[in-house]
Amino acid sequence: MPTSAPVFDALESTSAAVAAIADALPDWTLPTPAEGWTVAHQVAHLAWTDEVSLVAATDPEGFTALLQEAMKDPMGFVDAGAAELAAEPELRARWDRSRAALAAALRAADPGTQLPWFGPPMRPATMANARLMETWAHGLDIADAAGVALNAPDALPHVAKIAYKTRDFAYTVNGETPPAEPFDVFLVAADGSEVCFGPGDAPQRVTGSLEDFCRLATQRINVADTDLVATGADAAHWLTIAQCFAGAPGTGRAPTSN
């Protein structure tokens, strides 16, 4: 029986919200905040990664072959895949097929199985969470290009979870040693509900808006433009390097506030 869990539902609803924004644009050559990437590049990246994730979920041997090919250009294969697919005439239909097939495959997979990936293997729900984070983040870029807001509140608690869990990754990818002590994170959603992580009594803590925290960790906003408040020097530094996506350290966004 297919698995029913909030993260799977959020992935599908967020993908649909992003697709609706993209569909309303007459021109996918519009630039987005990601340097050199148009709306078509953003959609192509989502479609390409969904296709690769589908292979990981359904064909481990096929994924091994993809991994070997990717290692020929480990720093450029993702961007190359997006650039190639961006020129695909049937990109929109291809994205529909890939995201629908991936959602179904992840729901149908044994919840305890370990799916191969470019990094550590992931359970189906974890892979769904990773795809949700990327879909939401790239959806923000598409929404910015369109001059509208991405309304996907169900995605935010899941994105924040990844952001919290990747704290140490943010340090190591920047060549720094992660703090030994856990942090507390207390966030408030637009509806007033709270999303919290950590032991509850940590000296180092972050408080503020749930959406701002998610935007910061996906590097779609500068910390100066958020309402996030850090208590403790380590927590304050984390907010300057937070990164929940794989790869080299991101350049982040310049502040817009004075």
Side-chain angles (χ1 to χ4, degrees):
M1 178 180 294
T3 301
S4 177
V7 70
F8 297 109
D9 297 338
L11 174 59
E12 293 187 50
S13 64
T14 302
S15 294
V18 174
I21 293 173
D23 282 345
L25 289 171
D27 183 5
W28 280 15
T29 65
L30 283 172
T32 68
E35 185 177 356
W37 274 33
T38 64
V39 170
H41 284 91
Q42 300 282 356
V43 173
H45 175 71
L46 292 175
W48 181 87
T49 314
D50 283 345
E51 289 178 355
V52 173
S53 300
L54 179 61
V55 174
T58 60
D59 181 9
E61 291 184 2
F63 181 80
T64 298
L66 283 173
L67 182 59
Q68 292 171 346
E69 186 66 23
M71 289 304 98
K72 296 177 182 178
D73 183 18
M75 298 305 294
F77 74 96
V78 173
D79 286 354
E84 180 180 353
L85 197 54
E88 168 66 54
E90 298 299 319
L91 173 58
R92 179 65 176 81
R94 188 164 171 175
W95 182 31
D96 275 348
R97 290 193 299 269
S98 63
R99 63 191 177 90
L102 176 62
L106 293 177
R107 285 185 185 273
D110 179 346
T113 192
Q114 294 284 341
L115 305 177
W117 196 240
F118 298 102
M122 295 184 284
R123 290 186 173 88
T126 303
M127 180 171 283
N129 203 354
R131 296 306 310 130
L132 173 57
M133 178 272 293
E134 278 220 319
T135 300
W136 181 78
H138 289 282
L140 287 177
D141 293 339
I142 294 170
D144 282 348
V148 300
L150 172 60
N151 184 23
D154 291 345
L156 298 181
H158 304 286
V159 177
K161 180 180 179 181
I162 289 185
Y164 181 77
K165 286 191 169 184
T166 54
R167 184 203 72 168
D168 288 2
F169 167 75
Y171 280 88
T172 57
V173 78
N174 280 279
E176 302 178 17
T177 301
E181 301 80 11
F183 293 177
D184 278 330
V185 175
F186 303 113
L187 306 169
V188 180
D191 64 2
S193 60
E194 296 182 348
V195 176
C196 304
F197 305 97
D201 58 355
Q204 303 284 331
R205 69 180 63 90
V206 172
T207 61
S209 158
L210 172 61
E211 181 163 351
D212 279 1
F213 182 70
C214 293
R215 284 177 176 265
L216 183 70
T218 55
Q219 297 194 353
R220 263 61 183 182
I221 197 172
N222 188 281
V223 64
D225 296 322
T226 72
D227 70 357
L228 299 173
V229 176
T231 300
D234 287 342
H237 179 59
W238 178 40
L239 295 185
T240 69
I241 60 171
Q243 174 177 327
C244 62
F245 53 87
T251 57
R253 299 281 168 86
T256 59
S257 56
N258 294 323

